[in-house]
Each structure stands twice: as C-alpha cells, then as structure tokens.
Amino acid sequence: MLTRFPTLRLTRKPGFPNFGTLLVVDTVCSTAGAVPISLLYGYDLFKNFLKGANSIDKHFATAPLDRNIPVLMGLLGIWNMSFMNYRSRTTLPYAEALLKLPAHIQQLDMESNGKCMTKHGLEVDYLVGEIDFGEAGTNGQHSFYQLLHMGQTVPCEFIGFVQSQHDFCVEGEDLSSHDELMANFFAQPDALANGKTEEEVRAEGVAEDLIPHRVFKGNRPSLSLLLPKLTAYACGQLLAIYEHRTAVQGFMWDINSFDQWGVELGKKLAIDVKAHMLEGRRRNSSNASTLTTEGGEQPLPVVETGSPATTRLLNYYLDNSKDSVCNNQESHNSMTRVTRNTHREHNNNSLPPPLQHDLGQHGSRLS
C-alpha cells in the first residue's frame, strides 16, 4: 500500500509513524513493518532502512524532473504502457537476497494502479496498470528470458550492485562469483537493445535453415539501476523509488492509486462460499457419508451456489474432503481449536505419517 505524499516525511522518520494522520500509512515503514523487522534484525538496521527511504523521499520532492529517478521511471512506464502498448513489465534484481522484490513490486503496482476508472468517476479509455513479474539473478534467464529476447516485447528493469554481500573466488577462476553474476547484468540489456542481425549469425557459420531462428531483432526497452551495495539503506532506497514510481504513474493516469476496491468482491464472495461449505458439511454429517437404499448408494444432497460451474466444483470438493471436517467436541473457540487438535494429534499419534505418496493422483478424476 502506498503512502500519500503529504505524509512521506512523517512515516519515514526513524521511529514510529504519527497515528493521528488520516492518510494512508505505508505498511513497510510504519509500525506494521517496523516492529517485526526491528525485533528480528534490531532497530539500528531498521533505522538505516528508514534513512534510505527518506533520502529518496527528499530526492523525489526536490530533484529537477529531468534528473528525478522516480519521475523518470514513472514517465517511462507510462510511455511503454499507454503509448507503446507494452502491457507487461519485469523486475530483474541480480541479488539473491532480493528474491521477493519482484513479488513486492507486483503487489505494490498492480494493486495500486490496476484500475478502470479515473478519480472523477470516468471510465479509463487508455491503457493503465502493467502486469508486473520478475525473478532474481540468472534464475530468470533460464525461465522467461527466451520470451524477453524473441517473444513479445516486455520492458525490463535490471537492478545490480557494485559490491557483493557474500563474494567469493573459486580456485582456478580469474573472476569472482559476483563478477560472473554482474557480467550477465551488463550483457542482458545490450542483448535486448542491439539484438543480433542475420549477417552476424551467418558469419558464425550457422546453417542457413537455422539462421532465421538465431536472429534477435533487438530494440527492446530496458533500464538499469546500479547501487553501491545491498544494505538496509539501499533496500529502503529501492522500495521508496518504486513506491514513488507507482504514485507518479497514478497521478499521470488520473487514477486513485490509494484504494484497492478490486480485492473486495472476491473476499465477499468467499464469505458466501464458506456459508455454502458449512451447509454442505452439515448435510454430509447428518447423512453420514452416503444414503443407503435398496438400490445401493444414493449421492449426497447437492449444495447450490447459483453458479453451475462453482456448484459442480464445490460439491466435488465437499464429497472428497470429508476427512478435513473440524472436530468441535473440545472447544468452540476458533483461536484455540487448531492448537488443541494439533497438540492432541501429535501426542496421541492419531495421524501416522503416510507410507506412500499420491503423486499419481489416483482417483482424482472429476466425473
């Protein structure tokens, strides 16, 4: 969730945010993030994280627009999405410690700018809200870089560091492990931009029938961020850069980046589904497992949800997950039931470990 611009200095000062504000508070820099991070790593480290974020806040507020990193990144995002029609964007941090950064940016950007209405209640008639994804380091190169180089065009954002957190040299190698990693960081943007011509491929002696498959058209956009070292301070800077980038795009698109109504409908329907589940569990319990008649076993009563597809799927789920029904004999307190049941099962050995796997999914066909 984003922080509204007027509260930036409040929420990112070392310490806890001002709860008197009516504006949205950033969940990483506020108490929600401060308490667990400080308890785990110490408050001195978290204070450096806040200082890094605050340095970008000041940069965003004071730097000229032509040298303002979040503004430039936001404008590039608008250009690629709304003018070039590139509907996806990927974040590629060359540091294993930032493994979850692409997922964080995905949540930050897609939840904030995945909108269809302007702030004034008019339907958006231009492209907004990219599909964000990514992967750390060279893992992505063996996952989706094939598409980045030769499939649809996806703007790329590379993040690298001059110094490694844990660099080491392998005996007999001239370059360190970090140098090897960073060689890919520098090479990939060049490959995306310049590609490889038919003449270059032919000069390598490639068979004529394979040449079309080895040509890279290039002209694929990317940007690179190179920071001194991945520290708490640099991490705070990165998160603030992307928060402000998201806000810039929302401002330019005239959408409200600070609400998330899109997540409410599914959550509301989930409450309705839970009611249908409870109805089905009670029916199954009252009818034992099946109703036996002279003609054999009769199917259990069908739980209707109002949607044919959901009705079929839910009833299949209920019929084949009877063992997961909660036993409420000991306690009706939802906060302690799991703890008590888990304690009982572990101590009584009522659930022995499985002796064989079910990876073949025998009997899982939906009929």
Side-chain angles (χ1 to χ4, degrees):
M1 188 176 293
L2 292 169
T3 306
R4 288 188 182 273
F5 184 76
T7 66
L8 287 174
R9 289 192 176 89
L10 286 176
T11 61
R12 291 225 175 90
K13 280 185 178 179
F16 298 112
N18 180 0
F19 285 100
T21 179
L22 296 178
L23 301 178
V24 180
V25 177
D26 177 83
T27 56
V28 178
C29 295
S30 69
T31 307
V35 172
I37 294 175
S38 298
L39 290 175
L40 183 61
Y41 299 108
Y43 183 67
D44 288 342
L45 182 142
F46 185 70
K47 184 163 61 175
N48 287 333
F49 170 83
L50 292 176
K51 288 179 179 179
N54 185 252
S55 72
I56 296 299
D57 293 342
K58 293 177 179 177
H59 167 81
F60 180 53
T62 61
L65 295 182
D66 61 346
R67 293 194 297 275
N68 194 303
I69 295 174
V71 170
L72 292 175
M73 291 177 64
L75 293 176
L76 285 173
I78 293 169
W79 175 257
N80 288 328
M81 179 68 178
S82 300
F83 293 88
M84 299 302 295
N85 296 334
Y86 301 147
R87 305 190 181 199
S88 301
R89 177 173 56 196
T90 183
T91 306
L92 308 165
Y94 276 69
E96 188 66 18
L98 295 180
L99 177 66
K100 292 297 184 180
L101 178 64
H104 172 79
I105 295 173
Q106 182 184 75
Q107 184 272 336
L108 164 71
D109 200 75
M110 295 177 68
E111 187 175 57
S112 298
N113 289 340
K115 306 293 168 60
C116 62
M117 305 296 290
T118 69
K119 292 184 294 185
H120 306 287
L122 302 175
E123 187 169 357
V124 173
D125 59 357
Y126 42 90
L127 292 177
V128 302
E130 304 89 339
I131 299 172
D132 282 279
F133 66 99
E135 184 63 73
T138 56
N139 291 344
Q141 294 180 194
H142 300 281
S143 177
F144 52 79
Y145 275 42
Q146 168 65 39
L147 181 143
L148 299 183
H149 285 288
M150 304 183 83
Q152 59 180 284
T153 300
V154 180
C156 302
E157 298 180 353
F158 295 90
I159 302 172
F161 300 90
V162 175
Q163 299 179 40
S164 171
Q165 290 181 314
H166 307 287
D167 199 9
F168 67 93
C169 295
V170 178
E171 185 177 354
E173 297 289 340
D174 295 326
L175 295 176
S176 70
S177 61
H178 187 63
D179 286 341
E180 295 280 358
L181 178 68
M182 291 302 292
N184 289 275
F185 169 84
F186 294 116
Q188 292 295 339
D190 287 345
L192 289 166
N194 301 325
K196 197 172 187 179
T197 66
E198 182 177 331
E199 291 74 19
E200 290 173 325
V201 176
R202 184 174 287 108
E204 294 177 350
V206 176
E208 199 67 26
D209 60 331
L210 291 179
I211 288 178
H213 303 281
R214 303 284 291 272
V215 171
F216 294 76
K217 294 183 179 180
N219 196 32
R220 292 167 182 258
S222 69
L223 65 84
S224 298
L225 297 175
L226 183 60
L227 289 79
K229 187 176 182 179
L230 180 51
T231 61
Y233 186 91
C235 186
Q237 287 183 310
L238 279 174
L239 293 187
I241 285 173
Y242 280 100
E243 286 177 2
H244 292 311
R245 190 274 302 272
T246 298
V248 167
Q249 292 188 222
F251 296 153
M252 296 295 293
W253 280 328
D254 195 35
I255 59 178
N256 185 358
S257 300
F258 305 99
D259 64 46
Q260 292 85 33
W261 300 116
V263 303
E264 297 298 324
L265 178 58
K267 291 162 64 176
K268 168 60 173 63
L269 294 180
I271 296 175
D272 298 338
V273 170
K274 287 193 291 184
H276 292 306
M277 280 184 172
L278 183 59
E279 176 189 356
R281 294 296 189 205
R282 287 171 174 169
R283 287 187 183 181
N284 290 356
S285 177
S286 63
N287 289 277
S289 57
T290 56
L291 298 176
T292 303
T293 64
E294 293 181 359
E297 293 184 344
Q298 180 178 333
L300 292 169
V302 174
V303 177
E304 292 290 345
T305 68
S307 167
T310 304
T311 295
R312 187 183 181 198
L313 290 169
L314 179 59
N315 281 276
Y316 176 83
Y317 170 80
L318 292 172
D319 292 345
N320 291 276
S321 62
K322 303 184 187 72
D323 293 339
S324 67
V325 177
C326 293
N327 183 351
N328 295 329
Q329 294 179 353
E330 293 190 10
S331 170
H332 293 282
N333 186 340
S334 61
M335 297 298 293
T336 62
R337 187 182 308 144
V338 172
T339 301
R340 291 182 179 180
N341 284 350
T342 302
H343 176 76
R344 182 188 66 236
E345 291 163 0
H346 278 281
N347 282 274
N348 296 342
N349 295 318
S350 58
L351 292 178
L355 299 179
Q356 62 183 12
H357 66 75
D358 191 28
L359 298 180
Q361 300 184 22
H362 301 296
S364 63
R365 182 177 179 180
L366 179 60
S367 57

